[in-house]
Amino acid sequence: MAKNKALKNSRSSQLQLGIVGGGQLAQMLALEAAPLGIQVHILSEKERDPAVQVCKNWQKGNPNSRKDVIEFSQKLDLLTFESEFYEMTSYFEIQEKALQGASLPLRQESPSLSIFPSPEAMQILQNRSSQKAALIKAKIPVAPSIEVNTKEDLTQAWQKFPKGFVLKKCRGGYDGYGTYYCQSQDDLVKLHALFPAEFIAEPLISFKRELAVTLIRSQDGSLETLPLVESHQEQSRCDWVIGPVKHKKLSGLLKKISHLLQQLNYVGCVSFELFDTGTELLVNEVAPRVHNSAHYSQEALSHSQFLLHVLAGLGEKFPKVKLLSPAFCMSNLVGQSNEPAEIPCNLSGHLHWYGKDENRVGRKMGHVNYTGAATKELLKKALLERKKFKL
Ligand SMILES: Nc1ncnc2c1ncn2[C@@H]1O[C@H](COP(=O)(O)OP(=O)(O)O)[C@@H](O)[C@H]1O
Ligand SMILES: [Mg+2]
């Protein structure tokens, strides 16, 4: 595992940062990186991808193809990911070659390419089973779970969690895609159709609310923790976020999280989705990347999660991050039809529209950030204003 590096005092205006993926997260990373004087490159499959709309250095390619990834890496000093679900083999290979100073060939002027978060950390956190094991090892409270790889395991899950359980795909699940509820024998039979595949099963947790916290860890190990938020899901998809919120168990949890990130030698932004059961704070999921629950940081904080992620990768000291208003709210704009969307003028919130090629049911099309005095009023305003969109 690489040692922590000393932080830098200046940066070259010729630094080449590659972002793997072309969605809205890559778009917002690119928009924050460019004004720092960094040349941003995108690897993605479609010219209409949101990140390609704002970045001229685009390589058409598949983030899981060795050939495409190696070609992409040749232009770069730094590489990061917008999603945790890429196959890591090629990224390990690039990292290994970069560490040896060997040519892949890598850029002549800059023989070292740094990948953040590291392929090791990504590989552990991209799989629900190894992610859970890492959390348990760090003594972080989680829901109990068992691995479910066959129909027989499914029956065992039903015996172990007779009040119902949630089946989660070990890899590739997001926004509820890859999450299945089982609350009856009928459900159980229907789930048979999913196999063969790798899942974990967790009992249904009756939480009071869902919370989330995002942290950014730099190369020297310093850690910035963004405010705790409440995040509300509709059909397992984030619908709105409010904050800041308080929880008496947070500081204890953060100590354990800090230890976990240190063990992983983690660099960059990482989000922890939490269940507040009333008595406990359980970690539901870890996302090793910038995250929807921290989009509020664009307007409510002095520095956004996107900027902080890039600074972490550059190996620069974090600025002092300040909360700019007593309360904030973010509402997601999720497609409700397949018709082109209509955006209202004169919104009181700050719109971030992703520019996706087409509106689709369930597709995240944009979000609106609000700042003000109290979360309750902001949420009310956000939900009212959202009705003016045709989505
Ligand atoms: N064990 C559980 N009990 C109750 N609800 C759950 C459980 N696990 C997940 N959920 C609900 O489903 C949502 C999506 O699940 P999650 O594990 O976060 O997967 P993903 O966000 O990757 O689709 C959660 O935000 C939560 O609302
Ligand atoms: Mg989730």
Side-chain angles (χ1 to χ4, degrees), residues 248-372:
K248 61 178 189 314
K249 298 248 162 141
L250 181 67
S251 67
L253 178 65
L254 288 175
K255 281 198 193 106
K256 291 174 180 160
I257 287 178
S258 159
H259 186 68
L260 170 70
L261 297 179
Q262 194 186 336
Q263 291 294 304
L264 293 169
N265 209 359
Y266 193 89
V267 174
C269 202
V270 56
S271 273
F272 290 76
E273 296 178 11
L274 312 169
F275 292 146
D276 177 5
T277 65
T279 50
E280 270 187 305
L281 214 43
L282 303 178
V283 170
N284 168 41
E285 186 180 21
V286 187
R289 55 173 164 82
V290 289
H291 194 253
N292 198 167
S293 69
H295 287 358
Y296 70 86
S297 60
Q298 291 168 306
E299 270 72 41
L301 301 183
S302 54
H303 303 81
S304 78
Q305 61 166 340
F306 304 101
L307 177 65
L308 294 166
H309 181 74
V310 174
L311 292 180
L314 286 170
E316 295 185 22
K317 194 168 180 294
F318 290 144
K320 188 148 183 51
V321 180
K322 290 192 210 99
L323 183 61
L324 300 177
S325 72
F328 54 80
C329 173
M330 184 236 38
S331 83
N332 266 344
L333 303 170
V334 179
Q336 308 291 323
S337 75
N338 291 5
E339 300 295 312
E342 287 276 336
I343 303 163
C345 305
N346 302 318
L347 286 168
S348 69
H350 192 119
L351 174 68
H352 296 263
W353 188 257
Y354 308 146
K356 291 190 177 173
D357 54 350
E358 54 190 29
N359 192 20
R360 243 183 268 145
V361 178
R363 196 175 198 197
K364 286 178 182 166
M365 301 301 290
H367 66 270
V368 191
N369 282 333
Y370 297 83
T371 52

Side-chain angles (χ1 to χ4, degrees), residues 18 28 34 46 82 87 101 145 159-160 175 200 217 287 304 368:
M28 292 183 276
K46 288 191 252 123
E82 85 152 350
E87 174 52 50
S145 65
Q159 279 160 7
K160 192 165 164 66
D175 284 353
I200 58 161
R217 189 169 182 274
S304 78
V368 191

Side-chain angles (χ1 to χ4, degrees), residues 30 69 74 79 85 119 160 163 173 176 181 213 225 267 318 335 370 373:
V69 168
Q74 287 167 7
L79 180 148
F85 296 126
K160 192 165 164 66
K163 291 186 183 150
Y181 288 79
V213 63
T225 305
V267 174
F318 290 144
Y370 297 83

Side-chain angles (χ1 to χ4, degrees), residues 45-56:
E45 303 207 68
K46 288 191 252 123
E47 198 167 4
R48 286 303 318 262
D49 282 336
V52 186
Q53 308 301 306
V54 302
C55 185
K56 71 176 186 346

Side-chain angles (χ1 to χ4, degrees), residues 82-100:
E82 85 152 350
S83 160
E84 60 273 45
F85 296 126
Y86 307 123
E87 174 52 50
M88 280 297 127
T89 317
S90 321
Y91 300 96
F92 273 113
E93 185 183 341
I94 295 165
Q95 179 179 257
E96 200 50 42
K97 293 264 164 58
L99 284 175
Q100 291 164 6

Side-chain angles (χ1 to χ4, degrees), residues 58-357:
W58 171 58
Q59 184 188 314
K60 181 178 166 61
N62 176 352
N64 293 316
S65 144
R66 178 179 181 275
K67 179 177 158 289
D68 292 348
V69 168
I70 286 178
E71 187 187 332
F72 187 57
S73 73
Q74 287 167 7
K75 309 164 189 154
L76 307 175
D77 301 294
L78 281 167
L79 180 148
T80 194
F81 308 97
E82 85 152 350
S83 160
E84 60 273 45
F85 296 126
Y86 307 123
E87 174 52 50
M88 280 297 127
T89 317
S90 321
Y91 300 96
F92 273 113
E93 185 183 341
I94 295 165
Q95 179 179 257
E96 200 50 42
K97 293 264 164 58
L99 284 175
Q100 291 164 6
S103 58
L104 253 177
L106 293 158
R107 290 175 65 238
Q108 294 268 301
E109 319 87 86
S110 165
S112 68
L113 166 73
S114 147
I115 302 180
F116 71 103
S118 69
E120 288 90 346
M122 292 295 284
Q123 196 169 51
I124 292 168
L125 297 176
Q126 73 182 182
N127 182 306
R128 296 298 281 247
S129 183
S130 49
Q131 180 184 110
K132 224 357 143 190
L135 290 167
I136 291 168
K137 194 168 160 217
K139 300 198 166 52
I140 292 174
V142 291
S145 65
I146 58 167
E147 290 185 12
V148 176
N149 302 322
T150 62
K151 293 175 193 170
E152 292 71 38
D153 293 346
L154 200 59
T155 310
Q156 289 219 340
W158 185 240
Q159 279 160 7
K160 192 165 164 66
F161 308 125
K163 291 186 183 150
F165 63 87
V166 187
L167 198 62
K168 297 180 182 185
K169 247 169 95 175
C170 278
R171 275 186 70 165
Y174 72 100
D175 284 353
Y177 301 112
T179 302
Y180 307 88
Y181 288 79
C182 181
Q183 292 178 278
S184 67
Q185 283 286 351
D186 273 1
D187 289 348
L188 197 69
V189 173
K190 280 188 203 137
L191 292 177
H192 280 179
L194 295 171
F195 293 87
E198 289 176 11
F199 292 93
I200 58 161
E202 283 177 0
L204 277 170
I205 304 291
S206 62
F207 48 80
K208 269 182 28 189
R209 55 184 183 166
E210 288 185 81
L211 304 177
V213 63
T214 294
L215 301 97
I216 306 96
R217 189 169 182 274
S218 75
Q219 290 180 2
D220 76 337
S222 51
L223 202 58
E224 185 66 48
T225 305
L226 304 189
L228 181 66
V229 298
E230 175 174 356
S231 98
H232 176 77
Q233 316 338 293
E234 286 290 338
Q235 290 167 343
S236 299
R237 189 174 300 119
C238 177
D239 191 46
W240 51 258
V241 165
I242 52 171
V245 300
K246 288 199 162 104
H247 197 287
K248 61 178 189 314
K249 298 248 162 141
L250 181 67
S251 67
L253 178 65
L254 288 175
K255 281 198 193 106
K256 291 174 180 160
I257 287 178
S258 159
H259 186 68
L260 170 70
L261 297 179
Q262 194 186 336
Q263 291 294 304
L264 293 169
N265 209 359
Y266 193 89
V267 174
C269 202
V270 56
S271 273
F272 290 76
E273 296 178 11
L274 312 169
F275 292 146
D276 177 5
T277 65
T279 50
E280 270 187 305
L281 214 43
L282 303 178
V283 170
N284 168 41
E285 186 180 21
V286 187
R289 55 173 164 82
V290 289
H291 194 253
N292 198 167
S293 69
H295 287 358
Y296 70 86
S297 60
Q298 291 168 306
E299 270 72 41
L301 301 183
S302 54
H303 303 81
S304 78
Q305 61 166 340
F306 304 101
L307 177 65
L308 294 166
H309 181 74
V310 174
L311 292 180
L314 286 170
E316 295 185 22
K317 194 168 180 294
F318 290 144
K320 188 148 183 51
V321 180
K322 290 192 210 99
L323 183 61
L324 300 177
S325 72
F328 54 80
C329 173
M330 184 236 38
S331 83
N332 266 344
L333 303 170
V334 179
Q336 308 291 323
S337 75
N338 291 5
E339 300 295 312
E342 287 276 336
I343 303 163
C345 305
N346 302 318
L347 286 168
S348 69
H350 192 119
L351 174 68
H352 296 263
W353 188 257
Y354 308 146
K356 291 190 177 173
D357 54 350

